[in-house]
Amino acid sequence: MNNDTNRGSIRPEQFQKIDRSNYVFERIERKRLTAWQDIRYRLVSNKLAMTGFYIMCVVLLFAIFAPMISPHDHFTNDLPNANQAPSWQHLFGTDDLGRDMFERTWKGAQISLFVGFAAALIDLIIGIIYGGIMGYYGGKVDEAMNRFAEIIYAIPHLLVTILLLVVMEPSLTTIIVAMSITGWINMAWIVRGQIMQLKNQEYALASKALGAGAMRIIFRHLIPNAMGPILVTLTLTVPSAIFTEAFLSFLGLGVQSPVASWGTMINDGVKSMTLYPWRLMFPALFLSLMMFAFNVFGDGLRDAFDPKLKK
Amino acid sequence: MSKPFIEIEGLKKHFDIGNHQILKAVDDISFSIGKGETLGLVGESGCGKSTAGRTIIRLYEPTAGSIKIDGTDVTKVSKSQFKAYRSQMQMVFQDPYASLNPRMTILDIIGEALDIHGLAKSKAERKRRVEELLEIVGLNGEHASRYPHEFSGGQRQRIGITRALAVQPQFMILDEPISALDVSIQAQIINLLIDLQKKMGLTYLFVAHDLSMVKYMSDRVAVMYLGKIVELAKSEDLYANPQHPYTKALLSAIPVPDPDFEAGKERIVLKGDLPSPVNPPSGCPFRTRCPAATERCAAEAPMLRETRPGHIAACHYA
Ligand SMILES: Nc1ncnc2c1ncn2[C@@H]1O[C@H](COP(=O)(O)OP(=O)(O)O)[C@@H](O)[C@H]1O
Ligand code: SF4
Ligand SMILES: [Mg+2]
């Protein structure tokens, strides 16, 4: 019916032969942005995240180099010069024993950052292994391992720390161990979720079909593809560990004098807050700055990895 | 056909999807494939083709049934022995974008196959072997250091084929290897697969979701519906004399490059969607959409039986 009239209106003259002699069926495509380049682009164009990044870099540089070049040291007492206000001689003033606060602030930064990074690293290692196995095997293995994680997670954090301090001396190691006992669980859950999503991807199945074992599939194929959320979690673990250390040190459960961390310095500073505000101000300022910097950078990183999540 | 190379008997794969519900993705299928033969496996999306393929290659544990390769039941061999069978069966996946790890170079993607089976003694040999394999499928060996995203869909599918070939398999499951590709590239991949089969004497299970794709590839064709095989015959016979109403519907959907025939052709349009494999219809699984369904179809499940010489179908009225 209709078809016939349509067909009648198409005439041979309307057709033109296309020369396909130079036609390339498939050629290698122009280099597209890799996923990483794409992420970097989104991160660099996020001003707040980059502000955080630069603050982190500056504080890190000062923490490393300032104590090296400063003429003072952080533990020698100099009682005649106790509690001095900031001056050219002592940029951040001195504390009740006359120790240079500039020097101590950056020494404290070293301790705080070390705790932050060490805790994050331990979380990362345990979390990846535990979460990777949970997520990959699933089923009963997952259920049992998850139950164990939930039990540990349910124990109050502070209680674990205080109990541990009964057995171990208050020290840097004790604090890091205390934080790691519960800290890895969050990372393990993040990794588990990622692995569960990724394990049925065809590239993982292809590897399994070739005869790859679970460990090869988890660590060669799945973890590298879950790096985004893992990095984000890592970045957000650092400030929370720094804060926990500061909090414990503030309570007197942390590092012991003469070693200083931001937490112990704040503890000292609070006592004489009204008379010598700089003793509180500088460690508190840098602690807050670092928390802010890590958190906005971590958020920026998350948005860069998954732009759909952006609020 | 001589002694079959692949024999599948009563294969079932049921997924426990929670809430005490069982999804029967593959429900009692049997077929065999001779050495060097291609069996087409056709059916709508969601009818269980990929699950069947993945269960045969033991990516999923079968719920029941046996999978024999050259006479050995691979569901019975121990884990350590099974590795040897791994290299006999390989799979080419549907999605050329998802089937290559984006974080690995082509050298490592294909090299992994050699690593697992200890097929390369040194780094240099591994590289040389990968380059050789790439040349076999028509890719430039120098591109081995690149990442998957630098290749087009057709090239990626060639890489997927190379990875499967690397372990020198005898049987390949091709899970819709061309359905994600441009039409202009589909023919190239099909020709490559046919070439490889001739050169290496490969046996294929070729999965597709419509009958037009399998026509040029398959010696015999099995039609699947809701986890079951509803018809199986030699290709020419299936196209010339379809027995099952479902096969007839699938065939009528293929456009024919002849306007006069196309205009006069009766097109059977299937009503409704594929029923859920969690609650399949009673009796004949196809009865909810079958234009010829009767009361008997709801009461009694049709068995697969020979309706023509060498041609089996599961319909009471075929
Ligand atoms: N891992 C799984 N768990 C639960 N259900 C699945 C799983 N894989 C596939 N299915 C279900 O099995 C049925 C068949 O799927 P599939 O084999 O992928 O079909 P096809 O390849 O023919 O499109 C679908 O209903 C699908 O939802
Ligand atoms: S048995 Fe009945 S419902 Fe099933 S295909 Fe045949 S006619 Fe249709
Ligand atoms: Mg499929």
Side-chain angles (χ1 to χ4, degrees):
Chain A
M1 17 159 276
N2 219 324
N3 268 350
D4 289 320
T5 52
N6 276 347
R7 213 180 302 145
S9 66
I10 300 172
R11 296 177 312 278
E13 310 85 86
Q14 293 175 308
F15 289 87
Q16 191 187 347
K17 198 160 189 245
I18 294 174
D19 178 19
R20 311 239 302 180
S21 54
N22 290 322
Y23 184 80
V24 184
F25 274 102
E26 278 193 274
R27 72 182 127 220
I28 202 135
E29 287 182 5
R30 177 176 59 88
K31 247 193 150 157
R32 264 180 286 157
L33 285 182
T34 65
W36 287 109
Q37 286 170 319
D38 213 28
I39 288 160
R40 205 174 58 199
Y41 174 76
R42 278 199 295 269
L43 189 62
V44 169
S45 48
N46 180 339
K47 291 211 177 63
L48 193 59
M50 287 318 283
T51 309
F53 178 72
Y54 292 129
I55 293 175
M56 277 159 54
C57 289
V58 169
V59 173
L60 207 63
L61 284 177
F62 267 92
I64 296 169
F65 295 109
M68 281 186 199
I69 51 177
S70 151
H72 308 279
D73 62 48
H74 68 285
F75 51 83
T76 310
N77 299 353
D78 181 12
L79 288 172
N81 283 322
N83 293 326
Q84 288 199 355
S87 63
W88 285 113
Q89 177 69 24
H90 299 286
L91 281 176
F92 292 178
T94 61
D95 68 1
D96 54 347
L97 298 176
R99 295 174 296 196
D100 180 49
M101 282 294 289
F102 183 76
E103 175 73 26
R104 280 178 73 75
T105 300
W106 298 119
K107 272 285 176 193
Q110 283 182 3
I111 304 285
S112 292
L113 289 170
F114 176 75
V115 171
F117 284 114
L121 193 71
I122 294 174
D123 286 3
L124 177 75
I125 294 168
I126 304 179
I128 280 188
I129 296 173
Y130 200 90
I133 292 174
M134 266 200 289
Y136 187 74
Y137 286 102
K140 293 238 153 43
V141 176
D142 176 43
E143 230 168 82
M145 291 176 80
N146 209 6
R147 197 50 42 83
F148 178 71
E150 273 169 1
I151 290 170
I152 296 204
Y153 194 74
I155 306 172
H157 188 194
L158 205 57
L159 191 69
V160 176
T161 314
I162 291 167
L163 285 177
L164 204 74
L165 286 168
V166 176
V167 211
M168 291 165 79
E169 290 284 291
S171 72
L172 219 52
T173 325
T174 315
I175 288 196
I176 293 172
V177 170
M179 286 196 286
S180 303
I181 287 178
T182 50
W184 58 274
I185 296 171
N186 197 25
M187 179 63 89
W189 279 336
I190 297 280
V191 173
R192 169 181 179 264
Q194 287 293 309
I195 301 295
M196 285 196 151
Q197 264 180 36
L198 293 173
K199 69 177 174 187
N200 285 319
Q201 288 279 316
E202 288 186 345
Y203 60 78
L205 292 177
S207 180
K208 190 176 174 191
L210 289 172
M215 292 303 132
R216 181 188 273 274
I217 296 174
I218 295 174
F219 293 105
R220 289 276 183 87
H221 291 277
L222 303 180
I223 297 290
N225 282 286
M227 232 38 225
I230 291 175
L231 268 179
V232 172
T233 313
L234 201 64
T235 317
L236 296 174
T237 305
V238 177
S240 100
I242 291 178
F243 187 78
T244 308
E245 183 277 330
F247 177 65
L248 291 173
S249 295
F250 181 76
L251 293 181
L253 299 171
V255 294
Q256 302 297 304
S257 197
V259 181
S261 78
W262 284 338
T264 50
M265 291 168 73
I266 291 171
N267 185 14
D268 290 344
V270 164
K271 292 171 193 153
S272 53
M273 187 165 68
T274 43
L275 283 172
Y276 317 115
W278 57 88
R279 288 183 47 199
L280 174 64
M281 204 173 74
F282 288 106
L285 174 75
F286 283 104
L287 179 67
S288 315
L289 254 181
M290 246 355 212
M291 310 296 301
F292 166 79
F294 267 101
N295 280 305
V296 293
F297 181 70
D299 283 345
L301 207 57
R302 180 171 44 213
D303 291 343
F305 273 110
D306 197 348
K308 281 165 283 172
L309 274 180
K310 198 163 181 168
K311 285 161 244 153
Chain B
M1 199 176 74
S2 54
K3 187 170 135 314
F5 185 57
I6 303 292
E7 288 169 273
I8 310 297
E9 260 310 312
L11 189 70
K12 291 186 188 179
K13 178 65 203 179
H14 296 177
F15 292 110
D16 184 347
I17 53 169
N19 288 331
H20 304 286
Q21 285 189 311
I22 302 288
L23 188 150
K24 299 179 175 177
V26 173
D27 200 25
D28 197 0
I29 62 171
S30 304
F31 57 80
S32 59
I33 316 175
K35 192 142 185 65
E37 192 193 18
T38 300
L39 178 72
L41 185 62
V42 179
E44 276 166 285
S45 214
C47 74
K49 307 176 301 290
S50 295
T51 305
R54 290 174 181 185
T55 309
I56 292 169
I57 200 171
R58 298 285 305 279
L59 286 174
Y60 299 154
E61 275 311 299
T63 307
S66 66
I67 302 157
K68 283 190 190 146
I69 170 159
D70 213 4
T72 314
D73 187 347
V74 293
T75 59
K76 301 244 156 58
V77 304
S78 69
K79 254 215 162 100
S80 52
Q81 277 179 297
F82 183 64
K83 198 165 173 190
Y85 290 99
R86 276 281 186 224
S87 62
Q88 292 198 23
M89 307 188 262
Q90 278 303 310
M91 186 153 185
V92 175
F93 292 87
Q94 173 172 6
D95 183 349
Y97 289 87
S99 64
L100 304 179
N101 186 340
R103 300 256 184 276
M104 281 175 134
T105 61
I106 304 310
L107 178 67
D108 284 334
I109 289 172
I110 299 168
E112 180 172 51
L114 305 175
D115 299 343
I116 291 170
H117 293 274
L119 295 174
K121 307 265 171 316
S122 64
K123 265 221 158 83
E125 188 188 344
R126 180 178 188 257
K127 182 153 183 281
R128 193 174 44 81
R129 186 78 192 110
V130 169
E131 287 174 359
E132 271 171 23
L133 284 161
L134 286 172
E135 309 269 346
I136 291 176
V137 301
L139 288 172
N140 188 340
E142 288 163 21
H143 291 168
S145 59
R146 294 177 184 234
Y147 284 88
H149 74 269
E150 296 174 52
F151 295 87
S152 68
Q155 290 168 327
R156 281 162 162 256
Q157 203 54 299
R158 284 174 199 262
I159 295 164
I161 294 169
T162 314
R163 169 176 57 197
L165 285 179
V167 296
Q168 295 160 334
Q170 302 187 49
F171 173 49
M172 292 239 268
I173 295 171
L174 312 169
D175 188 4
E176 306 202 36
I178 57 169
S179 61
L181 303 178
D182 270 11
V183 180
S184 61
I185 289 144
Q186 290 183 344
Q188 299 178 16
I189 298 293
I190 290 292
N191 287 338
L192 172 68
L193 289 168
I194 293 174
D195 258 13
L196 292 170
Q197 182 172 40
K198 278 196 203 126
K199 267 190 227 154
M200 307 183 183
L202 295 169
T203 304
Y204 285 157
L205 177 66
F206 183 87
V207 176
H209 65 259
D210 82 60
L211 276 163
S212 63
M213 288 200 187
V214 286
K215 198 165 182 177
Y216 304 99
M217 279 289 288
S218 314
D219 302 299
R220 287 180 305 137
V221 175
V223 179
M224 233 179 131
Y225 188 80
L226 223 54
K228 290 181 160 37
I229 288 180
V230 296
E231 183 161 4
L232 199 164
K234 278 216 154 49
S235 278
E236 314 83 67
D237 207 39
L238 188 99
Y239 286 88
N241 302 298
Q243 304 285 300
H244 197 282
Y246 180 58
T247 315
K248 288 179 191 164
L250 287 180
L251 275 174
S252 80
I254 304 177
V256 182
D258 173 356
D260 292 316
F261 182 84
E262 191 64 11
K265 193 173 79 172
E266 175 200 6
R267 180 159 294 155
I268 308 167
V269 180
L270 288 177
K271 24 173 201 176
D273 293 327
L274 196 65
S276 155
V278 182
N279 291 308
S282 66
C284 175
F286 188 52
R287 72 172 166 83
T288 52
R289 300 164 80 191
C290 180
T294 64
E295 275 169 27
R296 185 183 169 200
C297 305
E300 193 187 332
M303 289 288 132
L304 270 174
R305 62 196 167 82
E306 196 161 30
T307 54
R308 290 166 54 81
H311 191 142
I312 57 172
C315 170
H316 295 307
Y317 305 103

